[in-house]
Structure formats: structure tokens, C-alpha cells
Short mmCIF file of all heavy atoms in Angstrom, two decimals:
data_model
loop_
_atom_site.label_atom_id
_atom_site.label_comp_id
_atom_site.label_asym_id
_atom_site.label_seq_id
_atom_site.Cartn_x
_atom_site.Cartn_y
_atom_site.Cartn_z
N ASP A 1106 19.28 -11.62 2.75
CA ASP A 1106 19.67 -11.47 4.11
C ASP A 1106 18.77 -10.51 5.00
O ASP A 1106 18.53 -10.81 6.16
CB ASP A 1106 21.21 -11.00 4.26
CG ASP A 1106 22.18 -12.04 3.82
OD1 ASP A 1106 21.71 -13.22 3.71
OD2 ASP A 1106 23.29 -11.69 3.49
N LYS A 1107 18.44 -9.44 4.35
CA LYS A 1107 17.53 -8.46 5.07
C LYS A 1107 16.13 -9.03 5.43
O LYS A 1107 15.63 -8.88 6.43
CB LYS A 1107 17.33 -7.24 4.17
CG LYS A 1107 16.55 -6.06 4.87
CD LYS A 1107 16.48 -4.89 4.05
CE LYS A 1107 15.71 -3.74 4.76
NZ LYS A 1107 15.69 -2.55 3.80
N LEU A 1108 15.59 -9.88 4.44
CA LEU A 1108 14.42 -10.44 4.66
C LEU A 1108 14.33 -11.30 5.85
O LEU A 1108 13.51 -11.41 6.73
CB LEU A 1108 13.78 -11.08 3.38
CG LEU A 1108 13.33 -10.23 2.26
CD1 LEU A 1108 13.02 -10.95 0.94
CD2 LEU A 1108 12.02 -9.42 2.59
N PHE A 1109 15.42 -12.21 5.89
CA PHE A 1109 15.34 -13.41 6.78
C PHE A 1109 15.94 -12.91 8.18
O PHE A 1109 15.68 -13.57 9.16
CB PHE A 1109 16.22 -14.49 6.33
CG PHE A 1109 15.65 -15.34 5.29
CD1 PHE A 1109 15.72 -15.12 3.88
CD2 PHE A 1109 14.71 -16.33 5.65
CE1 PHE A 1109 15.19 -16.04 3.02
CE2 PHE A 1109 13.95 -17.12 4.74
CZ PHE A 1109 14.14 -16.97 3.34
N SER A 1110 16.60 -11.71 8.19
CA SER A 1110 17.10 -11.17 9.50
C SER A 1110 16.03 -10.31 10.12
O SER A 1110 16.22 -10.10 11.36
CB SER A 1110 18.38 -10.40 9.24
OG SER A 1110 18.22 -9.28 8.46
N ALA A 1111 15.11 -9.89 9.39
CA ALA A 1111 14.12 -9.01 9.89
C ALA A 1111 13.34 -9.71 11.02
O ALA A 1111 12.84 -10.92 10.83
CB ALA A 1111 13.10 -8.44 8.91
N GLN A 1112 13.15 -9.07 12.15
CA GLN A 1112 12.45 -9.80 13.25
C GLN A 1112 11.07 -9.12 13.46
O GLN A 1112 10.73 -8.01 13.02
CB GLN A 1112 13.14 -9.61 14.53
CG GLN A 1112 14.59 -10.14 14.58
CD GLN A 1112 15.20 -10.07 15.96
OE1 GLN A 1112 14.96 -9.25 16.70
NE2 GLN A 1112 16.31 -10.85 16.14
N GLU A 1113 10.03 -9.91 13.83
CA GLU A 1113 8.86 -9.42 14.18
C GLU A 1113 8.89 -8.38 15.30
O GLU A 1113 9.71 -8.54 16.27
CB GLU A 1113 7.83 -10.59 14.50
CG GLU A 1113 7.54 -11.48 13.37
CD GLU A 1113 6.56 -10.77 12.33
OE1 GLU A 1113 5.68 -10.06 12.72
OE2 GLU A 1113 6.89 -10.99 11.15
N PRO A 1114 8.08 -7.29 15.28
CA PRO A 1114 7.99 -6.41 16.40
C PRO A 1114 7.72 -7.06 17.73
O PRO A 1114 6.92 -8.11 17.81
CB PRO A 1114 6.90 -5.48 15.96
CG PRO A 1114 6.83 -5.51 14.54
CD PRO A 1114 7.05 -7.06 14.29
N LYS A 1115 8.35 -6.83 18.71
CA LYS A 1115 8.09 -7.36 20.00
C LYS A 1115 6.88 -6.75 20.66
O LYS A 1115 6.63 -5.59 20.64
CB LYS A 1115 9.41 -7.19 21.00
CG LYS A 1115 10.53 -7.91 20.46
CD LYS A 1115 11.72 -7.72 21.56
CE LYS A 1115 13.00 -8.64 21.03
NZ LYS A 1115 14.14 -8.41 22.02
N ARG A 1116 6.12 -7.48 21.27
CA ARG A 1116 4.80 -7.05 21.87
C ARG A 1116 5.18 -6.66 23.39
O ARG A 1116 5.62 -7.54 24.26
CB ARG A 1116 3.79 -8.26 21.91
CG ARG A 1116 3.34 -8.67 20.54
CD ARG A 1116 2.34 -9.70 20.63
NE ARG A 1116 2.80 -10.85 21.27
CZ ARG A 1116 3.47 -11.80 20.65
NH1 ARG A 1116 3.72 -11.78 19.36
NH2 ARG A 1116 3.75 -12.91 21.33
N ILE A 1117 5.06 -5.35 23.54
CA ILE A 1117 5.40 -4.87 24.92
C ILE A 1117 4.12 -4.29 25.66
O ILE A 1117 3.41 -3.52 25.12
CB ILE A 1117 6.39 -3.56 24.77
CG1 ILE A 1117 7.59 -4.03 23.92
CG2 ILE A 1117 6.79 -3.08 26.18
CD1 ILE A 1117 8.26 -5.19 24.54
N GLY A 1118 3.73 -4.97 26.65
CA GLY A 1118 2.52 -4.79 27.33
C GLY A 1118 2.78 -3.52 28.43
O GLY A 1118 3.86 -3.61 29.16
N ILE A 1119 1.90 -2.53 28.34
CA ILE A 1119 1.99 -1.64 29.43
C ILE A 1119 1.04 -2.03 30.46
O ILE A 1119 -0.16 -2.00 30.30
CB ILE A 1119 1.58 -0.28 28.76
CG1 ILE A 1119 2.61 0.10 27.71
CG2 ILE A 1119 1.57 0.81 29.80
CD1 ILE A 1119 2.32 1.48 26.99
N TYR A 1120 1.68 -2.15 31.65
CA TYR A 1120 0.90 -2.71 32.82
C TYR A 1120 0.87 -1.72 34.00
O TYR A 1120 1.73 -0.87 33.95
CB TYR A 1120 1.28 -4.07 33.27
CG TYR A 1120 0.76 -5.18 32.49
CD1 TYR A 1120 1.38 -5.50 31.13
CD2 TYR A 1120 -0.34 -5.84 32.82
CE1 TYR A 1120 0.75 -6.48 30.35
CE2 TYR A 1120 -0.82 -7.05 32.04
CZ TYR A 1120 -0.24 -7.20 30.91
OH TYR A 1120 -0.81 -8.29 30.15
N GLY A 1121 0.07 -1.99 34.96
CA GLY A 1121 0.04 -1.13 36.18
C GLY A 1121 -1.33 -1.10 36.72
O GLY A 1121 -2.40 -1.50 36.08
N PRO A 1122 -1.59 -0.47 37.86
CA PRO A 1122 -2.91 -0.30 38.50
C PRO A 1122 -3.72 0.74 37.73
O PRO A 1122 -3.20 1.59 36.91
CB PRO A 1122 -2.58 0.15 39.92
CG PRO A 1122 -1.23 0.86 39.80
CD PRO A 1122 -0.52 0.19 38.72
N PRO A 1123 -5.05 0.81 38.09
CA PRO A 1123 -5.82 1.86 37.38
C PRO A 1123 -5.35 3.21 37.64
O PRO A 1123 -4.92 3.51 38.76
CB PRO A 1123 -7.24 1.65 38.02
CG PRO A 1123 -7.16 0.16 38.42
CD PRO A 1123 -5.85 0.02 38.89
N ASN A 1124 -5.50 4.14 36.69
CA ASN A 1124 -5.14 5.53 36.83
C ASN A 1124 -3.74 5.85 37.02
O ASN A 1124 -3.44 6.94 37.64
CB ASN A 1124 -6.09 6.25 38.09
CG ASN A 1124 -7.39 6.72 37.43
OD1 ASN A 1124 -7.92 6.21 36.33
ND2 ASN A 1124 -8.04 7.62 38.17
N ALA A 1125 -2.86 4.97 36.64
CA ALA A 1125 -1.45 5.19 36.84
C ALA A 1125 -0.86 5.95 35.73
O ALA A 1125 0.29 6.53 35.75
CB ALA A 1125 -0.67 3.94 36.93
N GLY A 1126 -1.73 6.11 34.55
CA GLY A 1126 -1.29 6.87 33.33
C GLY A 1126 -0.76 5.96 32.26
O GLY A 1126 -0.01 6.41 31.36
N LYS A 1127 -1.27 4.76 32.22
CA LYS A 1127 -0.83 3.80 31.24
C LYS A 1127 -1.26 4.26 29.75
O LYS A 1127 -0.38 4.22 28.83
CB LYS A 1127 -1.41 2.46 31.54
CG LYS A 1127 -0.92 1.75 32.84
CD LYS A 1127 -1.54 0.38 33.02
CE LYS A 1127 -3.03 0.37 33.13
NZ LYS A 1127 -3.56 1.23 34.18
N THR A 1128 -2.53 4.74 29.71
CA THR A 1128 -2.95 5.13 28.30
C THR A 1128 -2.28 6.46 27.91
O THR A 1128 -1.96 6.59 26.76
CB THR A 1128 -4.47 5.24 28.29
OG1 THR A 1128 -4.97 3.99 28.64
CG2 THR A 1128 -4.99 5.62 26.94
N THR A 1129 -2.12 7.27 28.84
CA THR A 1129 -1.42 8.57 28.55
C THR A 1129 0.04 8.25 28.02
O THR A 1129 0.43 8.92 27.06
CB THR A 1129 -1.24 9.40 29.87
OG1 THR A 1129 -2.51 9.67 30.32
CG2 THR A 1129 -0.60 10.67 29.56
N LEU A 1130 0.66 7.38 28.73
CA LEU A 1130 2.01 6.85 28.17
C LEU A 1130 1.93 6.27 26.76
O LEU A 1130 2.76 6.66 25.95
CB LEU A 1130 2.66 5.99 29.14
CG LEU A 1130 3.99 5.37 28.80
CD1 LEU A 1130 5.10 6.50 28.62
CD2 LEU A 1130 4.52 4.30 29.59
N ALA A 1131 0.99 5.25 26.72
CA ALA A 1131 0.92 4.76 25.36
C ALA A 1131 0.57 5.68 24.24
O ALA A 1131 1.17 5.63 23.10
CB ALA A 1131 -0.23 3.56 25.36
N ASN A 1132 -0.22 6.69 24.59
CA ASN A 1132 -0.50 7.74 23.52
C ASN A 1132 0.70 8.64 23.34
O ASN A 1132 0.97 9.02 22.10
CB ASN A 1132 -1.67 8.60 24.02
CG ASN A 1132 -3.01 7.94 23.99
OD1 ASN A 1132 -3.20 7.01 23.07
ND2 ASN A 1132 -3.99 8.30 24.56
N ARG A 1133 1.38 8.93 24.36
CA ARG A 1133 2.61 9.69 24.09
C ARG A 1133 3.68 9.04 23.21
O ARG A 1133 4.35 9.66 22.24
CB ARG A 1133 3.24 9.88 25.60
CG ARG A 1133 4.73 10.52 25.51
CD ARG A 1133 4.67 11.98 25.13
NE ARG A 1133 3.70 12.96 26.00
CZ ARG A 1133 3.77 14.20 25.78
NH1 ARG A 1133 4.21 14.84 24.75
NH2 ARG A 1133 2.97 14.88 26.66
N ILE A 1134 3.80 7.66 23.44
CA ILE A 1134 4.87 6.96 22.65
C ILE A 1134 4.31 6.90 21.16
O ILE A 1134 5.06 7.16 20.23
CB ILE A 1134 5.10 5.63 23.29
CG1 ILE A 1134 5.68 5.62 24.51
CG2 ILE A 1134 5.83 4.70 22.24
CD1 ILE A 1134 5.81 4.22 25.32
N ALA A 1135 2.95 6.56 20.99
CA ALA A 1135 2.42 6.38 19.78
C ALA A 1135 2.48 7.72 18.88
O ALA A 1135 2.93 7.77 17.74
CB ALA A 1135 0.91 5.89 19.77
N ARG A 1136 2.06 8.73 19.58
CA ARG A 1136 2.01 10.08 18.87
C ARG A 1136 3.47 10.59 18.57
O ARG A 1136 3.63 11.08 17.33
CB ARG A 1136 1.47 11.09 19.82
CG ARG A 1136 -0.09 10.94 19.98
CD ARG A 1136 -0.70 12.21 20.64
NE ARG A 1136 -2.24 12.06 20.74
CZ ARG A 1136 -2.86 11.92 21.85
NH1 ARG A 1136 -2.12 11.83 23.01
NH2 ARG A 1136 -4.19 11.91 21.87
N ASP A 1137 4.50 10.27 19.45
CA ASP A 1137 5.81 10.72 19.17
C ASP A 1137 6.41 10.05 17.99
O ASP A 1137 7.15 10.67 17.18
CB ASP A 1137 6.67 10.45 20.36
CG ASP A 1137 6.65 11.52 21.50
OD1 ASP A 1137 5.91 12.60 21.26
OD2 ASP A 1137 7.18 11.35 22.58
N TRP A 1138 5.94 8.79 17.69
CA TRP A 1138 6.67 7.97 16.70
C TRP A 1138 5.84 7.57 15.53
O TRP A 1138 6.21 7.18 14.59
CB TRP A 1138 7.28 6.72 17.29
CG TRP A 1138 8.37 7.05 18.31
CD1 TRP A 1138 8.17 7.10 19.65
CD2 TRP A 1138 9.61 7.49 18.14
NE1 TRP A 1138 9.31 7.46 20.27
CE2 TRP A 1138 10.23 7.65 19.36
CE3 TRP A 1138 10.46 7.62 16.97
CZ2 TRP A 1138 11.63 8.07 19.45
CZ3 TRP A 1138 11.78 8.08 17.06
CH2 TRP A 1138 12.34 8.20 18.33
N THR A 1139 4.41 7.73 15.65
CA THR A 1139 3.64 7.37 14.53
C THR A 1139 2.60 8.54 14.23
O THR A 1139 1.95 8.54 13.14
CB THR A 1139 2.86 6.11 14.85
OG1 THR A 1139 1.77 6.41 15.83
CG2 THR A 1139 3.57 4.98 15.29
N GLY A 1140 2.41 9.44 15.14
CA GLY A 1140 1.41 10.57 15.00
C GLY A 1140 -0.04 10.15 15.34
O GLY A 1140 -0.89 11.04 15.32
#
């Protein structure tokens, strides 16, 4: 049940205009949860 109920991670795109802080946010999320 666990194997078949497991879902693939959802692909979440970080969008916006240049210099809005997209990569800063992406790094903040990644560092907080993966290091």
C-alpha cells in the first residue's frame, strides 16, 4: 500500500521578473529542508 500510494514529488516552478529574489527564495527553501 505504501509503495503504490507514494506520489511523485510535484514540480513547483518559481517564477517572476528578474531580480525579484527567486533564487534567494529557492536557496532559502532548499537550505532549510536539505542543507
Side-chain angles (χ1 to χ4, degrees):
D1106 288 344
K1107 186 175 181 180
L1108 286 173
F1109 282 97
S1110 64
Q1112 296 181 347
E1113 289 292 319
K1115 292 184 178 179
R1116 295 180 300 274
I1117 306 302
I1119 299 181
Y1120 278 81
N1124 273 19
K1127 298 181 297 301
T1128 299
T1129 302
L1130 175 66
N1132 284 340
R1133 171 70 62 180
I1134 297 172
R1136 288 192 180 110
D1137 281 353
W1138 298 99
T1139 72

